[in-house]
Amino acid sequence: MVAKHELRAKFGSSSKSTTDYLLLRCHDDNGTISRLFVNETTITLLQFIQDGGYNETVGAVEGYYTMMAEGQGLLAPIFISRNGHSSIVSINLRFNAKPSLTDFLRDLHKQSKKWDTWNDTYDIEVFGYDITVLDVSDFCIRDLERIEYIALPLALLVLMFMLRSITLVLLPIINVLACSAVTCAVMYPVSSYVIQISVFGPPIMLSLIIAMSIDYSLFVLMRFKEEACNGGSNTDAVNRSMLHAGRIVLTSGGVLLATYIGLVVFPLEFIRAIGVSAAAGLFFTIVVSLSLTPALLLILPCFRVPGIIPCIKKCREEKPINVDDLTKSLFFRSTHYLTSTWWAVGICVAGIVVMFPFIFAIKDFYITMDDSQLYPMGSDSVKAFDDLKEDWPAGLLMPYNVLCVADTGIVSSNDFFNHTNALAREIDAIDGISANHILSVTFLAGVEMHWDNGNGLELNARTLLNGSTPLGRSQLGAAYRGLWDAYVNNDTTAAIMKVATDFDPAVNISDFVNTIRPLLERYSNDNYSYYLSSSFAEQADCVDLTLKYFPYVIGGTAIVVLVLLMVVFRSVFIAARVVVTLSLTLLWVFGFATAVFSAGWFNWASGKLDDVHGLYWLGPVLTFSIILGLGLDYDIFLFSRIVEFRQRGFSDRLAVRFGVERTGAIVTVAGLIMAIAFGGLMSGSTWLIIQMGFLEAFAVVVDTFVVRTVLTPCIVYLAGRANWWPRKLPVAVSELRGAHAARLLVNDGDDGDEDRDGACAALYADHDTPFHDFDPSDGDDTSVLRHAAEDTDVMGTSTGGHGYAPDGLLDISG
């Protein structure tokens, strides 16, 4: 960042430019590029710039033709490859010009395709850092939009299957449209006047809106359907739905909102922008889910179209939910072993054993700054760059810049030239650097220059800059003066040294930066300062800062999650348990990702994995919040129902079993939708998108089918009373004994039948025995209840303390 500031301070607006290239290349691998073709193409390019009104956008065009036209025949050959197979044309572009750089590059790319069809002998391709970034943006947006194309239709079909109501399925669509409209309306002025939103921001924001709108709609509408089918008015059904499901949405959304707000602390502006846009989208999703959804549900009876839109009346005609139906469900029966002590312990141990290989793999976890993982596979810019590397050094056209500053004088001195040449020689000694690829006014491709060696007739900088000397009037003098004008600032207090690497500069960014920076620091003193200035060096700095802040973001997020969950559930253990289960999910996910992308365990499955040596640094940073949010989403949904049943007096075991039964199908469906949507990203065009899709899809699968379905019920059951500490919950049925239980279970009060029904339901459910309607006048049924209350069966044998509950246990849903 210091180098960027110094560069702008010394070179002003000239530092606000960039360079892209036109590559002219023979089809025939053994052919030679025609100088005539190079000249004609360059003239066509110049005419295109003139006719398109891009004179302000394009600063300069340099190539074989322009050098020859300007009398710089000595420099013209450097634009022809050594094997004569290709030629490049350099196009200097201004960042803040009108029309924009982006408009020019898109138009140039389109025109180059047209020019390429004019002949069958040569290829014409556009390449460079900016056109590659443009391709990266376009392909990433296209890949992210794939989530919307896959997830939304699939989600609507699944919602229709589960809700069995066209009217209710329309609500998520309305929610998505409302959230998108409000968020875009708010973010437009924010992006215009507050923070610049990167191209990744809008698609991530819209994808999050769609995903969470579907999730929250599924929670609310399934609860609404359940309440409506159990009787009561439409208003009562909406109120009860929002009381329970609304609290889940608010809790889950609040925690997820906190994780995205955490992205604002990162030093990279585009990550902060993603955090702001995602947080805004999530905030309005929560608001719409808690306001627009219940409002539409309240007016739902007004939309009665017989045969097309099922109404509330039809729902009421369905059979109310009862314990007998619930105990027959797959999810209820599957929890029999999960809520058995030895089975639960065994399952938890087995989970840890299965996870061990992934934990072991994390030792090879590696974050890479290899920008080639950003390059879209199959894009025109990447193909052009691959073609370029066959004829030119990979780093020649994307060199690193060393800013050389004379702090106490000017660069036009022998001391500056000697000191800077000594630095150039040491840079030449670095692996992957050649002397003929170092260019500055002091060091010309391996030739050391002196400012003034005392004889005006000898080769030195002062003589070449003097146009009245024979050397100054030569082509070499003209070329050196052009180099001086480009590489030295106006007050001659700073100069630029370009260092081109033999390797792809986008691949070994960290290694090279960490090698050359100590060297520059060693040569800096009271008189001279040296800075590494390039987009790659800036990226290395930003990545280092981002990864430095990342653990603090994780820690801060964990604290926020703990505090919010403790406040909502009024339990210390619940919050700690959520952090533990989330940690298990993260260990599984990143351990498996390490095995695939870093350790090479699965390279046999695809030869493409041989080219990948680590996770691109941006993937874990962006996916952490999504993985955390979805995990919390499903966990809070499940645990809220467990707490709800426990509050009604069910034993811990029954609360877990009924909680899983009530949420299992919804969590499974939501997880499948997300897994398919995120899995679609694994067919993406860049390794970054593929890795993000892998992390998110695998996280959803693990969280849906392992952690929430298996491990969480086991841990909650084994924890017992610790789950609720220090909160006080109603006495569980299994804790009632003797005469007190008998009085509760077989009382003759106003609610006696309901109490007996609830007790009998809990009794049989806990013993996996189908429950049928209890008849208080039936002596056998009454006998069962009495013996249950006394911890004996009908034969007088002890049942081990299975007494059962008072008050309203039959009401499973409400």
Side-chain angles (χ1 to χ4, degrees):
M1 298 302 178
V2 175
K4 185 177 182 180
H5 174 76
E6 286 289 332
L7 183 65
R8 289 184 176 176
K10 295 297 182 181
F11 286 86
S13 61
S14 63
S15 66
K16 298 179 181 180
S17 62
T18 183
T19 304
D20 282 80
Y21 302 87
L22 208 62
L23 175 65
L24 315 178
R25 191 169 182 268
C26 290
H27 278 311
D28 185 359
D29 292 338
N30 298 319
T32 301
I33 192 76
S34 164
R35 272 50 170 183
L36 178 62
F37 174 76
V38 172
N39 293 343
E40 290 176 347
T41 305
T42 307
I43 292 171
T44 303
L45 172 64
L46 293 171
Q47 190 64 45
F48 160 73
I49 295 171
Q50 178 71 31
D51 295 343
Y54 293 116
N55 291 324
E56 295 297 322
T57 307
V58 179
V61 174
E62 295 180 342
Y64 180 87
Y65 169 79
T66 58
M67 291 294 103
M68 294 297 292
E70 295 170 5
Q72 303 288 333
L74 192 64
L75 297 178
I78 67 174
F79 293 94
I80 305 292
S81 64
R82 289 186 176 182
N83 58 11
H85 188 249
S86 62
S87 176
I88 58 171
V89 180
S90 168
I91 308 170
N92 183 266
L93 302 170
R94 300 186 181 99
F95 283 124
N96 298 320
K98 296 290 184 178
S100 70
L101 180 151
T102 300
D103 293 337
F104 170 75
L105 288 176
R106 291 190 188 280
D107 203 2
L108 177 61
H109 181 259
K110 187 185 300 182
Q111 286 297 120
S112 68
K113 290 281 191 181
K114 181 180 178 181
W115 299 338
D116 196 37
T117 62
W118 290 355
N119 70 89
D120 298 325
T121 307
Y122 305 104
D123 289 325
I124 302 176
E125 301 171 289
V126 182
F127 74 97
Y129 180 79
D130 303 285
I131 190 67
T132 302
V133 169
L134 199 59
D135 273 352
V136 169
S137 301
D138 291 343
F139 275 79
C140 284
I141 291 174
R142 192 180 308 166
D143 291 337
L144 290 173
E145 286 175 347
R146 193 172 300 158
I147 292 182
E148 302 166 23
Y149 298 142
I150 295 175
L152 190 56
L154 177 63
L156 294 178
L157 288 173
V158 174
L159 282 172
M160 187 174 295
F161 173 78
M162 294 194 67
L163 297 172
R164 303 176 188 275
S165 169
I166 298 176
T167 305
L168 296 183
V169 172
L170 291 176
L171 296 185
I173 300 176
I174 297 173
N175 283 355
V176 169
L177 295 176
C179 291
S180 302
V182 174
T183 306
C184 291
V186 170
M187 289 305 299
Y188 180 77
V190 171
S191 63
S192 300
Y193 303 106
V194 180
I195 186 172
Q196 184 178 358
I197 304 298
S198 70
V199 293
F200 295 100
I204 290 178
M205 179 184 73
L206 292 175
S207 298
L208 186 66
I209 288 174
I210 291 174
M212 303 320 296
S213 292
I214 292 170
D215 250 17
Y216 296 157
S217 295
L218 193 60
F219 295 164
V220 173
L221 296 180
M222 284 300 293
R223 188 60 185 251
F224 171 74
K225 183 186 177 187
E226 185 177 309
E227 299 290 350
C229 291
N230 277 326
S233 67
N234 184 51
T235 302
D236 290 340
V238 173
N239 288 339
R240 288 198 298 268
S241 299
M242 298 311 298
L243 176 65
H244 298 291
R247 183 173 56 188
I248 295 171
V249 170
L250 186 60
T251 304
S252 173
V255 173
L256 182 56
L257 186 62
T259 65
Y260 277 108
I261 292 176
L263 295 179
V264 177
V265 305
F266 283 108
L268 242 61
E269 184 177 7
F270 88 92
I271 293 182
R272 293 199 300 268
I274 289 174
V276 170
S277 56
L282 185 60
F283 173 77
F284 288 113
T285 300
I286 297 170
V287 171
V288 168
S289 297
L290 297 179
S291 58
L292 182 61
T293 300
L296 292 173
L297 287 174
L298 287 172
I299 64 173
L300 188 63
C302 299
F303 299 97
R304 296 182 179 179
V305 181
I308 299 178
I309 303 181
C311 62
I312 288 297
K313 183 177 180 181
K314 183 174 181 180
C315 291
R316 289 177 187 159
E317 294 172 355
E318 296 181 13
K319 184 179 180 181
I321 300 171
N322 58 62
V323 177
D324 194 9
D325 294 333
L326 298 185
T327 56
K328 293 178 181 178
S329 74
L330 173 64
F331 286 101
F332 183 86
R333 292 185 178 277
S334 67
T335 56
H336 172 75
Y337 296 106
L338 302 181
T339 54
S340 176
T341 302
W342 289 110
W343 275 99
V345 171
I347 289 170
C348 290
V349 171
I352 295 174
V353 171
V354 171
M355 188 175 64
F356 181 77
F358 301 109
I359 297 177
F360 179 77
I362 288 182
K363 69 180 180 60
D364 296 320
F365 184 75
Y366 180 67
I367 293 291
T368 179
M369 285 186 284
D370 180 0
D371 272 0
S372 65
Q373 294 196 21
L374 276 176
Y375 298 162
M377 293 176 278
S379 69
D380 291 334
S381 61
V382 171
K383 179 180 178 299
F385 188 60
D386 290 339
D387 290 341
L388 171 81
K389 288 186 288 186
E390 294 185 13
D391 300 329
W392 304 79
L396 186 62
L397 303 178
M398 290 187 291
Y400 288 91
N401 294 324
V402 175
L403 178 63
C404 313
V405 179
D407 296 315
T408 59
I410 56 177
V411 300
S412 51
S413 68
N414 282 325
D415 188 54
F416 175 82
F417 270 61
N418 293 336
H419 195 68
T420 304
N421 281 336
L423 171 62
R425 286 193 298 271
E426 292 217 32
I427 293 176
D428 176 34
I430 297 175
D431 289 339
I433 303 295
S434 301
N436 58 349
H437 293 158
I438 301 175
L439 183 63
S440 72
V441 294
T442 69
F443 198 86
L444 295 174
V447 178
E448 294 185 25
M449 295 291 293
H450 299 278
W451 169 246
D452 186 354
N453 54 15
N455 187 344
L457 296 178
E458 294 184 14
L459 183 63
N460 58 65
R462 189 169 190 170
T463 301
L464 291 172
L465 291 174
N466 187 351
S468 62
T469 64
L471 281 175
R473 289 192 297 271
S474 68
Q475 286 191 6
L476 179 60
Y480 189 79
R481 286 195 295 276
L483 182 68
W484 184 277
D485 291 340
Y487 284 31
V488 178
N489 66 342
N490 292 333
D491 59 3
T492 65
T493 58
I496 291 175
M497 177 191 298
K498 290 192 177 292
V499 180
T501 58
D502 294 333
F503 53 83
D504 186 345
V507 174
N508 299 315
I509 299 175
S510 182
D511 293 342
F512 180 74
V513 169
N514 292 334
T515 300
I516 195 173
R517 275 219 171 117
L519 183 61
L520 300 182
E521 292 173 1
R522 181 156 57 86
Y523 270 82
S524 296
N525 54 34
D526 294 337
N527 298 321
Y528 308 113
S529 299
Y530 298 92
Y531 307 94
L532 185 64
S533 174
S534 73
S535 58
F536 298 118
E538 292 171 14
Q539 178 183 328
D541 292 338
C542 292
V543 172
D544 287 341
L545 281 174
T546 299
L547 297 180
K548 178 182 177 181
Y549 277 79
F550 196 32
Y552 296 104
V553 173
I554 295 175
T557 301
I559 293 173
V560 170
V561 170
L562 278 170
V563 172
L564 286 176
L565 292 178
M566 280 192 290
V567 170
V568 172
F569 292 109
R570 290 175 285 169
S571 168
V572 173
F573 184 85
I574 291 175
R577 195 266 311 154
V578 167
V579 171
V580 170
T581 52
L582 282 174
S583 299
L584 291 176
T585 299
L586 292 171
L587 284 173
W588 254 316
V589 170
F590 285 102
F592 195 20
T594 300
V596 174
F597 298 108
S598 296
W601 291 8
F602 298 93
N603 285 11
W604 55 268
S606 174
K608 293 182 178 180
L609 289 172
D610 293 331
D611 300 327
V612 182
H613 306 288
L615 288 166
Y616 189 69
W617 67 274
L618 196 55
V621 173
L622 293 182
T623 56
F624 171 76
S625 296
I626 298 175
I627 294 172
L628 190 68
L630 289 174
L632 284 170
D633 204 27
Y634 300 150
D635 193 293
I636 292 172
F637 182 52
L638 167 62
F639 202 79
S640 294
R641 293 309 297 260
I642 294 176
V643 172
E644 188 180 331
F645 285 118
R646 184 62 188 80
Q647 283 178 314
R648 297 182 203 156
F650 281 83
S651 64
D652 292 334
R653 183 170 187 257
L654 274 177
V656 170
R657 299 190 71 181
F658 281 126
V660 172
E661 194 283 330
R662 290 285 80 194
T663 62
I666 299 174
V667 169
T668 301
V669 169
L672 283 173
I673 292 172
M674 295 301 169
I676 293 173
F678 292 139
L681 293 179
M682 294 175 65
S683 62
S685 54
T686 70
W687 279 110
L688 171 61
I689 296 297
I690 292 172
Q691 290 172 1
M692 288 179 63
F694 178 89
L695 289 170
E696 293 167 359
F698 188 66
V700 170
V701 170
V702 168
D703 203 75
T704 302
F705 297 102
V706 180
V707 177
R708 302 303 151 229
T709 308
V710 178
L711 291 182
T712 296
C714 290
I715 294 173
V716 173
Y717 170 71
L718 291 173
R721 292 185 181 182
N723 283 300
W724 328 113
W725 186 86
R727 185 180 184 181
K728 299 295 184 182
L729 289 177
V731 177
V733 174
S734 58
E735 297 170 6
L736 300 177
R737 294 292 183 271
H740 176 60
R743 284 194 298 272
L744 288 173
L745 295 174
V746 199
N747 68 70
D748 295 317
D750 294 338
D751 297 325
D753 290 347
E754 183 179 351
D755 290 337
R756 295 187 188 97
D757 283 348
C760 194
L763 168 68
Y764 283 116
D766 212 24
H767 286 82
D768 296 327
T769 304
F771 167 65
H772 303 284
D773 292 339
F774 172 74
D775 182 1
S777 63
D778 189 323
D780 291 337
D781 283 352
T782 304
S783 175
V784 169
L785 280 177
R786 292 184 184 280
H787 287 296
E790 296 168 0
D791 297 336
T792 61
D793 58 21
V794 293
M795 300 301 293
T797 306
S798 173
T799 60
H802 291 286
Y804 294 92
D807 300 342
L809 294 187
L810 188 61
D811 185 8
I812 300 301
S813 63

